[in-house]
Amino acid sequence: MLSAWNFREVSVPLPREEITSGLVTEYQRFGELLRSLNAEQLTRPTRCEGWTVGDVGAHVIGTMADITAGKFEGLGTPEVTQREVDERKGRSGDELADEMEQVMKVGTDLLAAFDDESWNGPAPGGLAVSVAEGTEALWYDAYLHGEDIRAALGQKPTVSPGLRASVSHIVDILTRDAWGPATVAVDGMEEFKVSGGGGPRITGDPLEFVLVATGRKDPATLGLDETVNIYREQ
């Protein structure tokens, strides 16, 4: 689920154009993935505890649907994410993908309405996050949950720009939580500084780092401990 709706402002290193175009492309990929699913595949369990493939898809769509409808209260909390899932129980892959296309059309128009000043300013609805940070969080959410679905189906992981957005987002969260300092220097990406950088260097496969930092894989595989998990109880 999302991790971004109640944190203080931290820097987002990715440019606006990269974030906005990346989010649109990621949602298109996610919709195509949903449309490919049959009824049996939608019921398969995922590594998101208690959620099926269909539940994961419903959450991703439901988040954007809530945003475009102006429903910001509690966004990203367990209660709201469960409501998003419950509202879409029993839908087919095509039905989920159809809603994805509809809400993304509205979402794209909303993003285009922000000028550069408001892009870096507070998000609507009183959320303690900038528009830039919130949009990057949506991109991360769609990418990672797409990988959750592919893993449940036994498919190979994919490498897309969403992986870089995920590393960027996680570094922001770790900085917010005063974790580190550390330098994330994973394969094929520029270095990301946690809490100002310096400290130990975290190297290796970027997807493995994302899985470790979101509680999906044992942190010991990267020589880290459970405090790197951005979803751990504070």
Side-chain angles (χ1 to χ4, degrees):
M1 67 183 64
L2 287 171
S3 59
W5 303 115
N6 59 355
F7 64 90
R8 66 178 181 271
E9 186 174 351
V10 293
S11 63
V12 176
L14 302 186
R16 176 177 181 173
E17 176 58 31
E18 181 176 352
I19 293 174
T20 53
S21 63
L23 175 64
V24 171
T25 300
E26 200 68 58
Y27 270 58
Q28 290 171 342
R29 293 177 69 242
F30 197 89
E32 292 168 0
L33 176 61
L34 293 175
R35 209 173 287 284
S36 73
L37 302 176
N38 60 38
E40 183 276 327
Q41 289 172 321
L42 286 166
T43 65
R44 292 190 191 180
T46 70
R47 57 194 175 195
C48 301
E49 185 176 356
W51 278 6
T52 65
V53 165
D55 294 338
V56 171
H59 158 61
V60 173
I61 297 164
T63 298
M64 180 58 80
D66 280 348
I67 290 171
T68 57
K71 297 179 180 179
F72 298 104
E73 185 174 356
L75 200 63
T77 64
E79 296 77 15
V80 170
T81 54
Q82 189 60 52
R83 172 183 58 74
E84 292 164 353
V85 169
D86 292 342
E87 289 174 346
R88 292 162 179 82
K89 281 289 186 183
R91 293 189 186 179
S92 68
D94 281 337
E95 289 170 331
L96 291 170
D98 286 344
E99 185 184 7
M100 170 69 83
E101 291 180 2
Q102 293 168 3
V103 299
M104 197 55 210
K105 288 178 182 177
V106 179
T108 301
D109 290 340
L110 286 175
L111 288 174
F114 292 105
D115 60 23
D116 289 341
E117 182 177 358
S118 57
W119 171 253
N120 293 300
L127 298 173
V129 58
S130 71
V131 174
E133 291 161 348
T135 307
E136 185 180 67
L138 290 171
W139 187 7
Y140 148 86
D141 201 52
Y143 170 79
L144 184 55
H145 281 318
E147 292 308 300
D148 291 332
I149 290 175
R150 292 182 180 91
L153 300 177
Q155 298 179 3
K156 293 181 179 180
T158 61
V159 177
S160 79
L163 179 56
R164 180 167 174 260
S166 298
V167 173
S168 173
H169 175 66
I170 288 167
V171 166
D172 282 345
I173 298 298
L174 291 173
T175 298
R176 172 209 68 181
D177 292 342
W179 189 87
T183 300
V184 177
V186 289
D187 299 343
M189 296 185 186
E190 73 275 36
E191 294 184 357
F192 291 85
K193 298 179 180 180
V194 182
S195 299
R201 291 173 62 82
I202 302 171
T203 60
D205 179 70
L207 180 56
E208 185 170 13
F209 169 72
V210 170
L211 297 178
V212 162
T214 57
R216 288 164 167 81
K217 195 168 184 177
D218 184 353
T221 62
L222 290 180
L224 302 170
D225 60 32
E226 65 278 0
T227 62
V228 75
N229 181 358
I230 61 174
Y231 295 116
R232 73 190 186 279
E233 293 186 8
Q234 300 297 311

